[in-house]
Amino acid sequence: MNRKNIYLTMYVKLVLLVLLVIVSKSALAQQRSITGKVTGDKGEALPGATVILKGTSTGTSTNADGIYTIPVLSEQTNSTLVVSYIGYVSKEIAVGAQSVIDVAIDPDAKGLQEVIVVGYGTQKKESITGAISAVTSRDVGRVHAATVTGTLAGKIPGVQFRQADGRPGAAATIQIRNMGGNPLFIIDGVPKDKTQFDNLSPNDVETITVLKDASASIYGSRAANGVIIVTTKRGAVGQKSTINLDAYYGFQNWTRFPKVVNAYEWNLGKAEAEVNRNGTTAITQAELDKYNVGTEYGYQSFDWYDFIIKENSPQSNINLSASGGSDKINYYISATRLDQNSVMGREFIFNRSNIQSNIDAQISDRIKVGLTIAGRQETRKNPGVPGGDDYVAPKFAILRNRPGERPYANDNPDYINNISNPASNWGYLNYKRSGYLEEVYSSITPQFTGEYKTPIKGLLVKALYSYMFRDSQREVFEYTYDTYTYNPTTQVYNKTGGSQNPYRQRVVNKIDENIGQLQLNYTNTFGRHTITALALTERLRKRERNVEARTVPKTNSLPIMQFADIVAYADADFTQARVGYVGRVNYGFADKYFVEIAARRDASWKFSPTKRWGTFPSISAAWRISEEPFFKSFTGDGRVLGEIKLRASYGLLGDDNVRPNNVDLDPFAYNPGYSYNTGVGIMSGVTTVAARDRGIAFDRISWLTAKVTDIGLDFSLLNNKITGTLDYFRRNRDGLPAVKSDVFVPSEVGYALPQENLERDAVVGGEGSLVYNGSIKGVRFTIGGNLSYARSRFIKPYNPLYGNSLLQYRDSREDRWTGIFWGNEVIGQFQSQEEINNYPVNVDGQGNRTMIPGDLIYRDANNDGIINSRDERPIGYNINNTPFLSGGLNLTLQYKGFDFAADFSAGSMLAINRRFEQRNAYQNTGNVPRLLFDDRWRRADPLNPDSPWIAGKNIPLRYNDTGHSNQRDSDWWLLNIKYLRNRTMELGYTLPTLLTQKARIQKARVFVNTYNLFSLDNTRPYGIDPEVQDENGLQYPQTKLLNFGLNLSF
Amino acid sequence: MKKYILSLVVALGVVTGCKDDVEFLNVKSTNILLVDEVYGDPRLVLSAATELYNRIPELVEPANFGIYASFDEAFASGDYGRHQNREYSYDDWSLWDYGYIREINLFIERVEAAKALTPADKVRFVAEGRFLRANAYFEMVKRMGGVPLITESLTYDYSGDAAYLRKTRAKESEVYDYVIAEFEAIKSLLPKAPNEKSRATYGLALASKARAALYAGSIAKYGVNTPSVLLPNGEVGIPATKATAYFQTALAAAQELINANQYSLYQKAPDLSTNFANIFLDKANNSEVIFVEDYKLQSGKIHSFALDNQPRALTEEGERGGRLNPSLNLVQSFEKLDNTFAPLAINKGATTDYIYYDKPEDLFAGRDARLQGTVLVPGAIFKNRAIDIFAGIIQSNGTILTGDQLGQLKTVNGASVQVVGLSGPIEGYDGSAQGGFYMRKYNDPVTGSGQIGTQSEVWNVRYRYAEVLLNAAEAAFELGQNAVAAGYINQVRNRAGLTVPLTTGEITFDRIVHERKVELSFENHLLWDMKRWRIAHIVWDGSNSDLTTQPGKATEPSTRVYSLWPYKVYNPGGASHNKWVFRKVLSGRVTQSHIFRLGNYYSRISDGIINSNPLITRNPNQ
């Protein structure tokens, strides 16, 4: 553990300690208490209603049965209780000398007064004009994923999700309406990147709001892929101080991973494969028999999966927070610690500590200030594994290592065996033998806010300054090691291989980010007219410095880097700067008609000075038809049809992440001159830094602009029991980079014309959601579902040129869906040699002489008698997308002290192209997955080429033969995935208040929770998780998590 | 109240007022130099030149040695596709790098315009720019035939019509003439500094001129053998009438360099094979090397040739090594010391009637020292260890026992016996000696060269004196001056231990071809030589050719690489126990015979190039 880590751990412990002291103190201060039940107009219990003692900071909330208990000092007989609940009218009751006060409150006639976080502010839900969805801590809190992203699967209509990688600390890909790229993340008012969003403590999240349409345009040049706004929890003024403990401990297992064959099967298959290819094999029946017995030295089988994978890997999370407020100050402070191990043993780990401190103070009638501090530290550590990604080798080992190979010579753990691929020998992939990799990210984000209520009614001035410092350090040390071969006759361990390459790397990265905002806010109501206006200016400056040094150390035992051993050093320093001006006016009339007009003028440092500024206006409107008198007369009391709101929005958004030639735009591309350090040369024996001419100025490009249209409908039925939304949208994007190819500039000029904003594409789709709230015989339940479809379509390439009509058919993008996968279509398998001999189409390009029974027959789509790439047709979806069609199902039940919740998510219209280990038996001469081995076409006697064929489902085996025609991309290998998976299930029990009260505990709840428990899908036969993306199927899949937890409130 | 308003105003100032937006957005790059900054300082001009030297186009460099296995010099132990493709693509070896030409033109123009450089600096930098440009055109004409000759930087004016920038292809001979004239013009502007190996010198200008003229001469002479490899306007093909003049130019340039006595053949180590290998390893006072791309440890400029080609059993890095295995085709080409050719003696007729050797390296004794200077044969010593290569053991009953693991042990009559060499060969086992041999030429014997973190600083030799001698010999031969030719070729052969001089009568086309094959193997000459002699389509003719029994004949088909696999005799108590026998093997991974089509003589000019400039004509036979 390095020094920083110690400090942060100490800090977390200190916070926990202080919180515990506060708990014990507050528990001592009570004198007498009032208890009672809060019910609604139909007598139903209202859990979570707030009860406070007027004019004090004493308060509580009701439990699942609607019961509250509130402490009152004995002498306070003239106190007043204030009972409030969202959607209900608050009620005040004099206390007097009573000790039991039951309260019935009535629903607010104005309906739901829910407040939604929007860009630079909040709005009442009914006045929202855009396509905006939100989830709250209640939805997020029950998903025990390691990252915040992981909590969102299936929760929000119009948000697509795919978690291909499930390693400790890994995050999912999320997309808003499949618009491509990352959305913009706003955390507590300022823009942040995805890793910061991922690594918030889910416990600290109050709400997550998604701006899906023109409502995002207020964020200007980075909003074209939608915006996700996160607000962290804050205490409320007048809220009783509460301490919350939330903890769980759980066990992880891989959802799925391909299974492999044993040594006997491996050799049997190899003999078969050799006979299939050459007609002969060197493997004899005698040897096969020895493998089948499997006891003789050299003929034993080894199960690498069992050797590497450790089941029930632990994951735990503990969060302790305190929140509350007086009439002047409110606070929320919290500390969270997550520890996530991996199924690859105790040495591949992730952990994270978060602290959050949100304090607001009303320091005068007009002035309010706040300080928000978020801090976190993430640590990833694992053995130092040669090669790029350290998680690859251990997974790869399961298929790469042959079952006849063993990790230790003569099974003696002191001697690493020399196997065919030493890098995947799990026997040495541990801290002791192979070294380590440790990455630590630490960040602290203090944020100051001030608010001044001007003497002009409704006019507020707000200022914000946010600073972020992030430090990350990567330490890699890979040791040298030797491998051995054991000679059983001489009983000697001979050194026969290993690595003499010690590798030591340090990367230090520092980011300083400064963001300032100043805003004017005006809200006023004139009769039935409500006006809200916002003017805001924002500046961002972010500097990133990166230093990397690498050495080849002389010893494995000292981690300090020596100058004499340095082989590489790299230094980088980037700064980015952005400026934005925002204006927005909202107008509402009679709570019926709403209009919002907004615009942002934005500038980004990365474009040429003449192309830096862009303006992004938007307009949206909503009409609550249900508020119209004619509608009311039509629907009567509104019990069947409660609310109907029509929304429409249109706006212009930007995306400054232009990617000419599919690489990120160099921010100084507009700047000609020489790039210094484009490599080095050894000139006359002296190392000389090379400098390359940057070519002509790349100054004709700017933002992508997106025009977003959204038409939506919000409704509620059956007295608000059913609520729902429906949306249709289309985003037309203009200005995709392309070269003006209608001017033929000879290539002999020596440069390509710079790209300009020329081409167009679109994303179209829709989404809907429906929630039912009900109760039957004391069981309160909600059932919610959502469904989204979003797909991108290329509209207009700039002056496309095709060599011929075939190329046009194959390569044209004009007005076509994107995400199409091309391949051959399999129409069957050869059933006999005779069929092959008489088959009219040349399937393998070699007159079918490489074909044997069981091999794949492709459709000769162009009828030219030969199968080649010209016969490829669209056979499925892209392999890297989030699902085009996705959805979620959410269910909650509550009965007395029990609560149950289940979340499902579904996806379709995505694909995996099974390749490498998923396609080729004995890939890299390694093991064979069962999915290729079982039920294959084979000969009755594998060693006899003349023996009859036994039909199977799988193609006959070949030994690492990637060139065979069976290996073509085809619908045999491309799998269009469909899945419905259970994300979370949670069963909780809240202990009766009577019991907990004695222990001075406000609320005590225990729960058992699962994550990814099961999945209904079509990827199961291949041993892969439905969200896996790596074509070899060897990605670290998501894990199944079973955990047990506890919530305590004091 | 006033103080609150005041602090608010201050805060407002802090947030917005410090800088205006334009200034706030003007972020300065940390790695861009302005043109004036570069050309105001000779050290930075050298930086710009370094970039241009680094990008000298070259077909094969230490890091992409794999192309060697595309022909018949080597087996690719791990990149089997090279032996499974029948045809060479028309796109192979193409080069149309006018971006590089433009940068060189800008370099020359900017040096000429620079005010802060001394006249001496200017002269040298301009001459270097002209060398790099001529060299780039030489590389292009070798591959594409005639190309547009652009010698100043061009800029499109965004007028919507770029027709004014179109240039036609020059004739192939015009490009050669330009290249030769440039080398001639700059030779005296460049330093006469034989110890300068990484920048252009007088010696390099002459060596380049000799090579270019020789190429032009042989295309003119041998083009008659491939009459269809021609374009009517001369973009491809050089009239035979020009041959003599080119050969004269080549001979004169080579002789000028030879007579300047600036370079000599490297002769330091007493062991002639080691001496030959050391030409490429010894950077201290190397009298033979003329021009290199240099590398240096701990500088960032290193290469992975040793990492990828260290013998598999000696690997310093997991499974890395042994990728390029010299072929039996090449190995048997090395002459015996009496100047005669013969296949390696491995059996007496029938393939199983073996000749028994005490040590594996005995099979290769008595041959041209360059054989073991180029190739590590089984049993050869590298990094102080013998290379353990054998494919299996042969038992007394003639059965072969082998395995699929390096150095695998199997139980034979109760005893553990090693049945495969520690370096293989095992068919399909990447990096094992599947060709039967490993590389010695360019293979760095320094500890650490096989480690991925350290790698190798062996330089990439582009011009050396032995080639100048062979160029002189070939030009003289083509001009009928066989005695002159013999004089030059015998210098090279003598250094290799072939001490019996070739007589004037023994100087033939086959001899010229053969000498270059064995002296310059793996030095980026094979393809260009085969093309200019117009025998590529004869040697790589697509037939399922067997290994030739006439290794000295230039036109013998050689379409598939053969391997030589040693076996150890296992017959305890028997007379031949532990002796070595050899089998000629065609690997199962070699599934196709190479065919070099007439359309391969000049690489394809892509549709994109022609679309953007319709004046560009296509190459023939494609």
Side-chain angles (χ1 to χ4, degrees), chain A residues 367 402 489 500-501 518 539 541 564 566 573 581 612 674 676 678 680 684 689 691 693 748 751, chain B residues 4 12 19 21 24 26 30-31 33 39 47 51 96 110 156 196 198 298 316-317 405 416 452 613:
Chain A
I367 295 190
R402 304 169 183 180
T489 308
Q500 302 313 311
N501 176 43
L518 187 70
R539 277 187 171 188
R541 197 171 184 92
I566 286 191
D573 186 345
Y581 294 93
R612 273 189 186 144
Y674 277 75
Y676 193 62
T678 50
V680 297
S684 318
V689 176
D693 181 72
E748 296 78 56
Y751 62 87
Chain B
Y4 292 137
L12 195 146
K19 291 178 176 178
D21 288 342
F24 185 82
N26 270 339
T30 52
N31 63 352
L33 290 167
Y39 291 90
S47 283
E51 167 70 24
W96 199 267
R110 287 166 179 169
Y156 167 58
E196 173 58 79
S198 52
Q298 295 187 293
E316 297 179 303
E317 188 63 49
Q405 302 282 302
S416 282
I452 198 165
N613 181 359

Side-chain angles (χ1 to χ4, degrees), chain A residues 266 270 277 287 363-364 366-367 386 402 405 418-423 452 461 463-464 481 485-489 496 498-502 516-518 537 539-541 550 552 563-567 573 575-579 581 603-605 609 612-613 668 670-676 678-694 696-697 700 743-751 753-754 756 801 846 849 925 959-960, chain B residues 1 4-5 8 11-12 15-35 38-39 43-44 46-51 53-55 84 96 98-99 102-103 106-107 110 124 128 148 150 154-156 158 160-163 165-167 196 198-199 294-296 298-301 312-313 315-319 404-407 409-410 414-416 422 428-429 451-454 588-589 591-592 609 611-613 616:
Chain A
W266 192 89
K270 182 167 189 259
R277 184 179 166 139
E287 281 198 299
I363 58 175
S364 81
R366 294 199 178 277
I367 295 190
R402 304 169 183 180
E405 293 178 325
N418 189 9
I419 63 171
S420 58
N421 188 50
Y452 171 64
V461 182
L464 174 151
Y481 64 94
T485 304
Y486 178 71
N487 184 329
T489 308
T496 48
S499 167
Q500 302 313 311
N501 176 43
Q517 281 174 8
L518 187 70
T537 168
R539 277 187 171 188
L540 178 151
R541 197 171 184 92
R550 239 172 47 220
V552 176
F563 180 66
D565 298 334
I566 286 191
V567 293
D573 186 345
T575 299
Q576 53 174 281
R578 297 169 184 281
V579 176
Y581 294 93
S604 164
W605 88 107
R612 273 189 186 144
W613 288 90
F668 297 99
Y670 64 84
N671 195 353
Y674 277 75
S675 291
Y676 193 62
T678 50
V680 297
I682 312 302
M683 305 304 283
S684 318
V686 178
T687 307
T688 308
V689 176
R692 181 172 184 177
D693 181 72
R694 290 172 58 77
I696 57 149
R700 302 169 80 82
V743 180
F744 295 105
V745 177
S747 55
E748 296 78 56
V749 169
Y751 62 87
L753 286 185
E756 300 177 43
L801 296 168
Q846 301 182 47
R849 68 184 164 92
T925 74
Y959 189 78
N960 192 22
Chain B
M1 176 58 68
Y4 292 137
I5 293 174
L8 204 77
L12 195 146
V15 174
T16 61
C18 304
K19 291 178 176 178
D20 69 18
D21 288 342
V22 173
E23 195 188 336
F24 185 82
L25 291 164
N26 270 339
V27 175
K28 189 170 170 5
S29 160
T30 52
N31 63 352
I32 298 175
L33 290 167
L34 302 177
V35 171
V38 172
Y39 291 90
R43 290 172 303 181
L44 294 177
L46 182 62
S47 283
T50 300
E51 167 70 24
Y53 274 107
N54 273 353
R55 276 164 56 213
Q84 294 164 1
W96 199 267
Y98 281 90
R102 175 184 163 82
E103 285 176 48
L106 285 170
F107 176 81
R110 287 166 179 169
R124 183 170 179 191
E128 284 186 285
I150 291 165
L154 303 177
T155 306
Y156 167 58
Y158 291 108
D161 179 6
L165 293 166
R166 291 177 192 162
K167 301 263 191 301
E196 173 58 79
S198 52
R199 295 176 67 179
D294 203 359
Y295 293 83
K296 193 173 180 178
Q298 295 187 293
S299 74
K301 178 110 177 175
R312 185 61 176 74
T315 185
E316 297 179 303
E317 188 63 49
E319 78 283 23
D404 58 7
Q405 302 282 302
L406 298 176
L409 301 169
K410 281 198 173 170
S416 282
L422 291 167
Y429 196 120
Q451 302 172 8
I452 198 165
T454 307
R589 308 279 147 169
T591 58
Q592 286 287 6
I609 292 168
N611 285 344
S612 61
N613 181 359
I616 301 291

Side-chain angles (χ1 to χ4, degrees), chain A residues 2 4-5 377-380 438-442 471-475:
Chain A
N2 67 20
K4 263 196 204 114
N5 212 336
Q377 184 169 72
E378 292 162 53
T379 303
R380 290 171 174 81
E438 185 179 38
E439 278 179 316
V440 180
Y441 285 72
S442 310
D471 173 274
S472 78
Q473 188 137 341
R474 176 184 159 96
E475 302 279 0

Side-chain angles (χ1 to χ4, degrees), chain A residues 330-349:
Chain A
N330 57 293
Y331 68 93
Y332 170 82
I333 56 175
S334 157
T336 315
R337 167 78 181 190
L338 170 79
D339 279 281
Q340 196 182 11
N341 219 315
S342 82
V343 299
M344 297 189 299
R346 303 291 151 100
E347 294 192 337
F348 284 71
I349 57 165

Side-chain angles (χ1 to χ4, degrees), chain A residues 706-906:
Chain A
K707 293 181 185 120
V708 181
T709 311
D710 187 286
I711 297 168
L713 176 73
D714 298 338
F715 57 89
S716 70
L717 306 169
L718 303 178
N719 207 12
N720 285 342
K721 278 201 174 108
I722 295 177
T723 54
T725 66
L726 277 175
D727 275 278
Y728 159 83
F729 72 90
R730 183 178 174 104
R731 179 187 75 170
N732 285 323
R733 199 159 57 154
D734 208 336
L736 299 176
V739 168
K740 273 206 169 150
S741 55
D742 44 1
V743 180
F744 295 105
V745 177
S747 55
E748 296 78 56
V749 169
Y751 62 87
L753 286 185
Q755 302 199 324
E756 300 177 43
N757 300 103
L758 296 173
E759 299 189 331
R760 289 194 282 133
D761 73 356
V763 182
V764 290
E767 69 242 359
S769 67
L770 211 55
V771 180
Y772 183 85
N773 275 289
S775 72
I776 300 172
K777 294 184 178 161
V779 182
R780 287 162 45 84
F781 64 92
T782 60
I783 302 173
N786 66 72
L787 194 66
S788 314
Y789 171 80
R791 194 169 183 189
S792 123
R793 194 172 173 86
F794 204 85
I795 303 298
K796 185 117 185 64
Y798 187 87
N799 188 38
L801 296 168
Y802 308 103
N804 56 52
S805 61
L806 179 77
L807 287 173
Q808 177 165 11
Y809 169 67
R810 180 65 195 258
D811 297 340
S812 170
R813 298 173 297 158
E814 195 162 354
D815 205 21
R816 275 192 192 175
W817 293 118
T818 59
I820 296 171
F821 191 93
W822 292 70
N824 290 106
E825 297 155 283
V826 171
I827 52 172
Q829 286 169 278
F830 284 116
Q831 299 298 310
S832 66
Q833 191 59 48
E834 194 185 359
E835 185 186 357
I836 297 167
N837 296 344
N838 297 325
Y839 199 72
V841 175
N842 184 355
V843 177
D844 61 356
Q846 301 182 47
N848 295 341
R849 68 184 164 92
T850 69
M851 307 302 274
I852 53 177
D855 282 343
L856 303 178
I857 310 173
Y858 301 110
R859 189 164 82 83
D860 183 16
N862 63 355
N863 291 315
D864 65 350
I866 184 164
I867 302 298
N868 51 31
S869 61
R870 295 177 178 203
D871 298 305
E872 292 180 347
R873 293 292 178 268
I875 55 171
Y877 301 101
N878 202 339
I879 54 178
N880 297 317
N881 288 346
T882 46
F884 296 148
L885 185 63
S886 62
L889 268 178
N890 309 295
L891 172 73
T892 63
L893 294 172
Q894 204 151 37
Y895 179 69
K896 302 225 159 126
F898 291 95
D899 59 272
F900 173 80
D903 298 322
F904 296 83
S905 77

Side-chain angles (χ1 to χ4, degrees), chain A residues 56-325:
Chain A
T56 72
S57 63
T58 311
T60 185
S61 54
T62 56
N63 68 9
D65 306 321
I67 308 287
Y68 71 93
T69 306
I70 191 162
V72 185
L73 293 173
S74 309
E75 63 271 24
Q76 287 180 321
T77 50
N78 58 347
S79 304
T80 305
L81 284 185
V82 181
V83 179
S84 56
Y85 189 65
I86 289 174
Y88 286 74
V89 179
S90 299
K91 199 167 186 178
E92 298 188 3
I93 303 112
V95 171
Q98 305 170 77
S99 61
V100 177
I101 304 176
D102 292 338
V103 187
I105 53 178
D106 295 323
D108 190 336
K110 283 191 168 180
L112 291 174
Q113 283 291 347
E114 212 178 318
V115 167
I116 302 281
V117 176
V118 298
Y120 300 108
T122 56
Q123 277 179 27
K124 280 189 284 184
K125 190 174 182 188
E126 78 239 14
S127 69
I128 281 182
T129 51
I132 297 173
S133 304
V135 289
T136 65
S137 54
R138 290 164 58 130
D139 307 296
V140 170
R142 66 170 176 260
V143 189
H144 293 146
T147 63
V148 174
T149 330
T151 64
L152 295 181
K155 290 279 165 60
I156 308 172
V159 174
Q160 285 82 18
F161 180 95
R162 184 173 190 174
Q163 178 149 15
D165 185 358
R167 76 179 67 188
T173 306
I174 51 172
Q175 294 260 294
I176 297 176
R177 293 176 162 176
N178 277 330
M179 290 194 285
N182 272 331
L184 176 66
F185 295 92
I186 304 289
I187 300 174
D188 283 330
V190 296
K192 296 287 174 203
D193 61 25
K194 179 162 183 291
T195 60
Q196 287 168 298
F197 172 74
D198 287 333
N199 288 294
L200 284 166
S201 164
N203 295 88
D204 294 334
V205 173
E206 175 67 34
T207 64
I208 297 175
T209 302
V210 183
L211 310 182
K212 297 181 279 193
D213 66 344
S215 56
S217 75
I218 196 119
Y219 288 106
S221 65
R222 289 192 283 172
N225 300 324
V227 178
I228 291 181
I229 304 174
V230 185
T231 36
T232 56
K233 292 176 179 166
R234 308 192 90 81
V237 171
Q239 178 200 339
K240 175 187 171 288
S241 288
T242 312
I243 311 265
N244 282 297
L245 172 73
D246 183 285
Y248 70 82
Y249 188 90
F251 305 96
Q252 310 165 79
N253 285 294
W254 273 358
T255 52
R256 268 175 221 159
F257 200 79
K259 297 280 185 291
V260 290
V261 304
N262 64 30
Y264 166 66
E265 292 165 317
W266 192 89
N267 282 284
L268 175 73
K270 182 167 189 259
E272 231 177 85
E274 287 172 351
V275 171
N276 285 345
R277 184 179 166 139
N278 306 324
T280 60
T281 176
I283 297 170
T284 61
Q285 189 59 48
E287 281 198 299
L288 288 179
D289 293 342
K290 285 186 189 177
Y291 280 113
N292 202 5
V293 176
T295 50
E296 194 179 320
Y297 185 87
Y299 292 92
Q300 296 136 306
S301 189
F302 189 83
D303 190 332
W304 287 91
Y305 185 95
D306 281 357
F307 181 55
I308 295 169
I309 302 307
K310 309 279 179 291
E311 293 188 337
N312 297 324
S313 171
Q315 172 175 335
S316 67
N317 187 71
I318 177 161
N319 168 261
L320 194 55
S321 66
S323 69

Side-chain angles (χ1 to χ4, degrees), chain B residues 108-135:
Chain B
I108 295 168
E109 290 159 13
R110 287 166 179 169
V111 169
E112 281 173 341
K115 295 191 172 67
L117 298 177
T118 64
D121 278 341
K122 279 187 163 186
V123 166
R124 183 170 179 191
F125 281 131
V126 168
E128 284 186 285
R130 288 171 70 183
F131 167 79
L132 291 162
R133 183 170 61 192
N135 183 64

